Amino acid sequence: MLRSSFMWESLLKGLPAGLLVLLPLRDEDGSLADFEVLAANPAALRILGTTEYDLLGSRLGSVHPNFRQRSVLNSFDKVLGRDAAGEFEQLLPETAGSSAMPGWYELTLIPADGRLIMIMDSISKRKAVLREAVRMMNVDDLTGIGNRRLLKSHFWRQRQQDGGMALIFLDLNGFKRINDTYGHETGDEVLKI
């Protein structure tokens, strides 16, 4: 096993993901209330938009309000209770009073000796690509109008919610003649209009 402090220091400084070492803080009733930040690597400082001086010793919930949410604290507490690593995705929206870089992050939580190691890795680009792929699956790329797949999903959702539905069907009379006379590129332009 490698125990070189130089290697570990190099790893932490060079790690592109943010890394925090957190001390759990509990209420009188034993509920997880927050975390004291014990250590942070340079990437974590960049993500959280703060300095080591301001971050170390502070409460994680004061860095970004999302870390004060009961659902987030419950997820962290489950990892501590199982004493096994866990992962989940967390949105850090832009909020007043926070200089953290907004976006989606994959949080890897590793319990260690009564503390919690949190690795924050941005997945905003991956989420954007996924959103675009879903959009491309559901929208006609020529007209930008929802396709049959999107229509079916809307109808199924409405049907499950017992919502009212209406369908309007439009037919373009003589459209075949436009394609045959002027070509499909002109026909595509007519469809866009």
Side-chain angles (χ1 to χ4, degrees):
M1 182 180 225
L2 295 175
R3 296 199 179 262
S4 164
S5 62
F6 170 76
M7 288 186 64
W8 287 113
E9 219 172 285
S10 297
L11 171 71
L12 293 179
K13 285 182 180 173
L15 189 67
L19 185 138
L20 298 173
V21 178
L22 306 169
L23 177 67
L25 302 174
R26 299 194 175 271
D27 287 337
E28 303 81 41
D29 65 355
S31 297
L32 184 62
D34 208 334
F35 289 93
E36 179 183 344
V37 180
L38 301 177
N41 73 343
L45 297 174
R46 190 174 56 255
I47 290 168
L48 297 173
T50 188
T51 64
E52 192 173 42
Y53 177 81
D54 290 333
L55 184 62
L56 298 186
S58 70
R59 290 182 169 231
L60 185 61
S62 68
V63 175
H64 197 285
N66 275 34
F67 293 118
R68 286 193 300 256
Q69 292 177 356
R70 180 51 43 202
S71 60
V72 173
L73 289 169
N74 287 342
S75 297
F76 282 46
D77 208 16
K78 284 179 187 173
V79 169
L80 287 165
R82 285 192 321 256
D83 198 31
E87 289 181 322
F88 66 97
E89 295 176 356
Q90 179 65 47
L91 176 64
L92 295 182
E94 193 167 337
T95 60
S98 173
S99 53
M101 291 172 49
W104 280 98
Y105 291 88
E106 180 176 66
L107 302 184
T108 302
L109 305 173
I110 305 166
D113 226 8
R115 291 166 180 80
L116 192 65
I117 298 169
M118 180 171 75
I119 300 171
M120 303 173 64
D121 198 14
S122 176
I123 56 171
S124 292
K125 288 179 184 173
R126 194 178 339 154
K127 287 279 193 182
V129 168
L130 182 60
R131 270 194 309 276
E132 180 60 15
V134 169
R135 188 197 70 73
M136 288 173 62
M137 273 182 17
N138 291 310
V139 175
D140 177 70
D141 57 336
L142 178 65
T143 62
I145 297 172
N147 62 17
R148 182 179 295 156
R149 182 181 292 114
L150 183 64
L151 178 67
K152 283 171 68 174
S153 73
H154 280 301
F155 272 126
W156 278 110
R157 202 171 307 124
Q158 285 295 103
R159 190 171 181 195
Q160 288 172 345
Q161 297 171 356
D162 292 327
M165 293 184 265
L167 176 65
I168 298 172
F169 182 82
L170 300 173
D171 186 19
L172 297 177
N173 290 331
F175 183 70
K176 182 180 178 337
R177 194 169 4 113
I178 292 171
N179 271 343
D180 291 346
T181 306
Y182 301 105
H184 289 278
E185 285 184 20
T186 302
D188 286 352
E189 291 302 316
V190 170
L191 284 175
K192 288 179 193 177
I193 293 168

